[in-house]
Amino acid sequence: MSNRKAPDLTSYFSAAKQSQQLSEAEEEIQRLKIEIEELRAAGSNELETQLAALREQLESTAGILSIPIEQIQPNPEQPRQTFLSESVESMSRSLEKDGQLEPIILMRRGDLVIFDGERRWRSARALGWQNLHAVIISEPVALHRKALLTSLHREDLNPLDKAEAIVRELANNTDIDAADIPRILNTAVRRLNAQKRMSQVVELMTATEDVQQHGLADLALEEREQAVLGLLLDLQLNPASVDANIFPMLGLAPDLKAAIRESGLKGVHGMALAKLNGKNLGKTEDEALTIRVQVTQKVMAEKLSATKTRKLVNETIASQAKEDVKLSRNIKQVAKVTGNLQKLSSETLAAAEIDQLTQLQEILKQKLAEIEEIVKDTGEDRLV
């Protein structure tokens, strides 16, 4: 099987030096040099002006420019949608201490749009910097794919951003609705696993595109399944891993997605906490949400590991089940006593000893007062 190398992400960066603008700049420099020699020979006053232009072009050929931050815009197609405040603050400290060690990469799309370096841009803005070092490249063909490849190889890209970016890339390159893509992949993976043929797909990850397409054709996949698996392999992603670990993030409850994006909750913790739903807890979804938010806060405050988080989730579910059993037992006991009281006939009471009746009367008075108090409190709660 023919192999191919992993995407060379650094080529996107070096592409800046090879960009059309820079090539044009080099041509302009040569033209200016010729003109300057001609002006020197003619003793023209335009010489200084032309020399200034040459210096500017020479600075450009270094590939690094100082760009006013106000002229830089974030990329709406950026796969990374999460920029935690802690991460931005950390970068701000680094910029403040060591300065900007490497330029950000910008594309000229009317405005100067960030291709890579949005965290540095956010941090520099927070510090009140006026300029950033940058290289400018032509807008890459298939921009989202290149931005996605760049982001996929960074460990700090959270799985929720990753899942949404992969779905968007697949939807952009097929006629499949984004909402259907996780289901199509899941169906294909389950069938291939049942046929014990999933390993054949994984082996195709480092193959050439032609080999990948022939390999997928041999698996007799449906057209849409082959399209989804083919694009995942083209991104050098394991379809089984995407199905098991990444796409499930899309189905998380909104509170867990917010915790991932805003508070840095890990995806594996989010998946564990997702078990705290109405069905597993025997509660309404609103009641389950209250419990899940409390447990999520505890997980983040105590920085629990994934293993300890799963244990806490299981304990919470078990605890709720015990409470439900206790509640059910109490309800049955009240129903049983009510039934027994109804069975007490006048004849039975008339045949009882007077002391027995007096004791029963006192107990009923006491219980009736307690019942009236509970009914009153319950009614007030419902009015609130």
Side-chain angles (χ1 to χ4, degrees):
M1 180 181 295
S2 301
N3 292 334
R4 64 177 178 177
K5 297 179 180 179
D8 181 5
L9 303 181
T10 59
S11 65
Y12 301 140
F13 197 88
S14 62
K17 296 181 180 178
Q18 302 168 359
S19 66
Q20 183 179 357
Q21 291 97 323
L22 295 180
S23 297
E24 291 173 352
E26 290 169 354
E27 292 176 4
E28 179 68 6
I29 289 169
Q30 294 304 317
R31 186 186 65 77
L32 286 168
K33 284 181 178 177
I34 294 172
E35 287 187 11
I36 287 169
E37 292 303 317
E38 292 173 350
L39 289 168
R40 278 195 173 119
S44 171
N45 292 331
E46 294 180 19
L47 179 59
E48 289 304 318
T49 302
Q50 295 288 3
L51 284 172
L54 175 59
R55 278 196 295 271
E56 183 177 346
Q57 293 289 8
L58 285 170
E59 289 175 1
S60 296
T61 58
I64 300 176
L65 303 172
S66 180
I67 304 293
I69 285 181
E70 63 183 14
Q71 294 182 11
I72 301 172
Q73 300 297 321
N75 177 12
E77 297 180 60
Q78 156 76 272
R80 183 190 301 278
Q81 295 296 314
T82 302
F83 291 90
L84 298 175
S85 58
E86 296 86 346
S87 175
V88 174
E89 289 170 5
S90 173
M91 177 59 74
S92 293
R93 288 195 294 273
S94 173
L95 291 176
E96 204 167 27
K97 179 181 178 184
D98 301 317
Q100 186 184 352
L101 299 179
E102 60 179 10
I104 64 173
I105 303 178
L106 304 176
M107 305 172 296
R108 196 177 296 283
R109 187 198 281 172
D111 295 322
L112 289 171
V113 178
I114 300 171
F115 175 73
D116 182 73
E118 184 167 340
R119 190 162 70 106
R120 273 167 286 167
W121 172 73
R122 288 172 179 256
S123 300
R125 281 205 315 172
L127 289 171
W129 285 14
Q130 300 300 311
N131 296 280
L132 268 178
H133 297 312
V135 292
I136 301 175
I137 62 174
S138 300
E139 182 168 337
V141 176
L143 169 63
H144 185 262
R145 180 179 186 279
K146 288 182 169 60
L148 177 58
L149 280 170
T150 302
S151 297
L152 285 176
H153 292 263
R154 292 178 174 167
E155 293 181 354
D156 60 343
L157 181 66
N158 76 56
L160 180 57
D161 283 355
K162 188 179 294 186
E164 292 176 344
I166 292 171
V167 166
R168 187 160 67 247
E169 175 67 12
L170 266 56
N172 288 343
N173 288 280
T174 65
D175 59 355
I176 305 173
D177 287 341
D180 293 333
I181 287 173
R183 178 181 53 76
I184 291 170
L185 174 64
N186 181 258
T187 301
V189 169
R190 281 193 292 119
R191 188 171 63 253
L192 290 170
N193 277 328
Q195 297 171 349
K196 301 187 185 304
R197 305 179 76 182
M198 197 62 219
S199 59
Q200 290 179 240
V201 178
V202 176
E203 289 174 359
L204 294 172
M205 285 180 61
T206 55
T208 63
E209 185 175 355
D210 286 344
V211 174
Q212 286 177 350
Q213 293 305 318
H214 280 99
L216 292 176
D218 290 341
L219 295 172
L221 297 164
E222 295 178 4
E223 183 179 351
R224 295 197 303 174
E225 293 174 342
Q226 183 166 338
V228 169
L229 265 65
L231 285 167
L232 289 175
L233 291 176
D234 187 50
L235 293 169
Q236 297 201 327
L237 293 171
N238 183 334
S241 178
V242 173
D243 175 59
N245 304 315
I246 298 179
F247 278 179
M249 299 293 149
L250 300 169
L252 289 177
D255 56 295
L256 292 175
K257 288 183 177 179
I260 289 174
R261 288 215 160 97
E262 298 167 10
S263 304
L265 181 73
K266 300 294 185 185
V268 64
H269 292 76
M271 291 302 298
L273 290 162
K275 289 179 65 178
L276 296 176
N277 53 44
K279 180 181 179 182
N280 290 336
L281 291 168
K283 304 286 185 182
T284 66
E285 288 302 330
D286 285 343
E287 292 170 336
L289 172 60
T290 301
I291 294 171
R292 190 167 60 241
V293 169
Q294 291 172 347
V295 176
T296 300
Q297 290 172 344
K298 178 179 175 65
V299 167
M300 290 191 292
E302 299 181 11
K303 299 181 179 177
L304 297 184
S305 65
T307 301
K308 289 183 177 179
T309 298
R310 294 189 193 98
K311 182 181 178 184
L312 177 61
V313 166
N314 291 334
E315 289 173 349
T316 302
I317 293 173
S319 172
Q320 291 299 319
K322 286 181 181 177
E323 287 188 15
D324 289 345
V325 169
K326 183 178 178 181
L327 179 62
S328 176
R329 188 183 298 133
N330 291 339
I331 290 173
K332 288 180 179 177
Q333 186 175 5
V334 172
K336 182 178 180 181
V337 171
T338 302
N340 288 339
L341 283 174
Q342 289 176 334
K343 291 176 183 177
L344 282 177
S345 64
S346 299
E347 293 76 11
T348 302
L349 292 172
E353 297 290 337
I354 189 66
D355 290 345
Q356 287 181 301
L357 292 174
T358 302
Q359 184 181 12
L360 177 60
Q361 185 180 37
E362 290 300 319
I363 291 174
L364 288 175
K365 282 181 179 178
Q366 181 182 345
K367 293 299 175 188
L368 184 59
E370 293 176 7
I371 291 170
E372 287 177 345
E373 189 68 26
I374 292 171
V375 169
K376 179 183 175 184
D377 291 344
T378 303
E380 289 177 348
D381 288 344
R382 289 181 178 177
L383 290 174
V384 172

